[in-house]
Structure formats: C-alpha cells, structure tokens
C-alpha cells in the first residue's frame, strides 16, 4: 500500500493489522556524467515498493532530498543541512506515531544520510517522550541501506570487481536503468578515475573528484544488471523488514 494513494480509513484499517511503515529516503545529487541526479531516491523508492509488495507493508512518501552538501559544487544538486534533515525525519515520525505507527523502516539509498538518520532517531525518541505521545516507548526506527545488502555487495563484486567504486557506481546506475530505461545516459568517461580522497567541503570534493565519480565505472551498468540488484535487495530487505516489524 502506498500512503499517498490511500485514504485515511484505509490507513486506519491497516493499523489494525500492522504498525510498520517503510519510508524510502535518498538524495538529489550529481552522480557523474552518466548517473541521474535522482539516482539515490529512485533506487530507494523502487526497492521500497518491491519490499512493500512482498511484505504487504505500507510505503510512505519518498524523502527525495537528503544530506549531500559535499556534492553542491555540481549543478543540480540539492541538499538539506544535517540539522534540517533531522527535523524533517522527526516531523515525519511524530505525525505517523500519533496515528499509531510504531515501527519505522527507512530504506536508504545514500551513504551521506546514514549518520544524520541515526542522530534523527535519537532526537525523535526523546522528543516523543517529552510530548508524552501514547506508547512513545514502543516507537522503533531502523535504517536499511540497500547498497550494503550482502547479496548486493557480492553481486557487484562479481560483475564489476574494483570498478564498482563508491559513488556513481555501476550497481546504482544499473538500478536506475532498470527502473527508467528511457532515461539511460551516454557520455565519454575517462579510464582514469579519482579515488581514495577524504571528503571535506563541496569545493574540495569537486577539486579531487572532477567528474563526480569516486573510483567507479558506470559504463559497465546495464538494465539487466539492475534487475538483478533490484531482486537481490528486495529479497534481503523483505526478510529484514519482517524480522524488524515482528520483533518485540
């Protein structure tokens, strides 16, 4: 069930059966010369919907803009500050917990969101208790990074080896090609790609990663690979979600 395509009576009925909800979260940031700016949100949303179908879970609206300040020297990138993202996540959870949701499973497509999400969860637990929201002590949040699934990591290693890299990767580009085959991009990619530099400011990031890639070769991506990554992530995260939502 998609929350935005449901009515409030349908949500009320769902809550009689389950208090779990899946929230896709990604980013709107550069992904190299061939990667879509919406890659992280596209992947998280598609995989979340697959998990929802497999588990009969409610799927909330995708948080499309995340914490991507280090990419803002590239045109098209939109980022929230960590403090803003914390507030957004807190407001989402607060509204939904007042309605009766208790298990919040964030399917994440962007590594830059991880630290902020974990901080947001801690902030939210305290905030809900301060508000004295009914059964606030039962609220639990978990972040599941689809790209860190063991099955996804293994498949990426088999298909791409060291050319997977860590940003604008062929695995994530492949998923977007599977979801949006009409939006596949082509560009000339240098065989030499920067890697191994620490992340500091946006200007420093672009200086060290001039085309936006981090050790990756997205030219290896295909829609067929994307289907394999999608299937692997949906299967693994479906099991993970059910374990989470059914645990005490």
């Amino acid at each position: 069930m998609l929350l935005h395509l449901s009515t409030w009576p349908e949500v009320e009925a769902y809550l009689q059966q389950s208090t779990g909800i899946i929230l896709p979260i990604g980013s709107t940031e550069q992904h190299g010369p061939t990667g879509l700016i919406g890659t992280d949100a596209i992947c998280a949303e598609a995989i979340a919907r697959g998990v929802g179908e497999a588990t009969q879970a409610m799927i909330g609206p995708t948080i499309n803009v995340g914490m991507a300040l280090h990419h803002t020297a590239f045109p098209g990138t939109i980022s929230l500050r960590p403090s803003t993202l914390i507030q957004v996540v807190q407001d989402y959870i607060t509204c939904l917990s007042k309605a009766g949701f208790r298990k919040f499973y964030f399917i994440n497509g962007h590594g830059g969101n991880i630290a902020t999400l974990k901080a947001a969860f801690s902030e939210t637990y305290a905030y809900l208790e301060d508000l004295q929201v009914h059964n606030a002590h039962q609220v639990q949040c978990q972040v599941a990074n689809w790209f860190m699934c063991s099955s996804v990591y293994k498949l990426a290693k088999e298909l791409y080896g060291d050319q997977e890299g860590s940003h604008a990767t062929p695995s994530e580009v492949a998923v977007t090609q599977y979801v949006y085959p009409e939006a596949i991009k082509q560009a000339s990619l240098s065989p030499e790609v920067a890697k191994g530099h620490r992340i500091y400011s946006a200007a420093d990031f672009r200086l060290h990663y001039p085309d936006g890639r981090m050790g990756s070769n997205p030219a290896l991506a295909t829609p067929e690979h994307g289907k394999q990554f999608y299937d692997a992530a949906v299967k693994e995260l479906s099991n993970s979600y059910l374990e989470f939502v059914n645990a005490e």
Side-chain angles (χ1 to χ4, degrees), residues 30-68:
Q30 70 83 19
H31 273 79
T34 59
L36 305 180
I37 286 175
T39 291
D40 292 343
I42 291 167
C43 294
E45 181 173 272
I47 291 166
R49 290 189 178 192
V51 173
E53 292 172 2
T55 63
Q56 299 301 300
M58 178 73 72
I59 309 297
T62 302
I63 302 174
N64 289 285
V65 179
M67 205 304 289

Side-chain angles (χ1 to χ4, degrees), residues 15-182:
L15 284 164
Q16 300 302 310
Q17 307 299 321
S18 175
T19 61
I21 186 168
I22 296 172
L23 292 164
I25 181 169
S27 184
T28 298
E29 65 184 43
Q30 70 83 19
H31 273 79
T34 59
L36 305 180
I37 286 175
T39 291
D40 292 343
I42 291 167
C43 294
E45 181 173 272
I47 291 166
R49 290 189 178 192
V51 173
E53 292 172 2
T55 63
Q56 299 301 300
M58 178 73 72
I59 309 297
T62 302
I63 302 174
N64 289 285
V65 179
M67 205 304 289
L69 292 173
H70 51 293
H71 291 293
T72 53
F74 292 87
T77 297
I78 305 172
S79 179
L80 300 178
R81 291 170 295 169
S83 55
T84 306
L85 183 55
I86 287 172
Q87 193 64 60
V88 169
V89 170
Q90 180 174 293
D91 286 352
Y92 267 53
I93 296 171
T94 299
C95 291
L96 292 168
S97 63
K98 287 179 178 179
F101 288 95
R102 295 289 176 262
K103 299 272 192 167
F104 297 88
Y105 191 77
F106 287 76
I107 292 185
N108 178 44
H110 173 51
N113 288 338
I114 297 173
T116 304
L117 277 172
K118 290 181 178 179
F121 298 161
S122 294
E123 291 261 8
T124 302
Y125 297 142
Y127 181 68
L128 294 177
E129 289 189 349
D130 289 344
L131 284 182
Q132 297 185 334
V133 171
H134 180 63
N135 288 332
H137 67 284
Q138 294 179 350
V139 171
Q140 297 178 359
C141 305
Q142 186 168 310
V143 56
N145 308 297
W146 79 266
F147 50 90
M148 293 177 70
C149 289
S150 59
S151 56
V152 169
Y153 179 84
K154 180 180 178 182
L155 180 59
K157 197 71 175 175
E158 291 173 357
L159 292 174
Y160 312 128
D162 293 338
Q163 295 187 78
E164 166 72 352
S166 57
H167 182 67
T169 63
S171 60
E172 62 185 346
V173 170
V175 173
T176 67
Q177 291 180 347
Y178 167 60
V179 177
Y180 288 110
E182 72 277 13

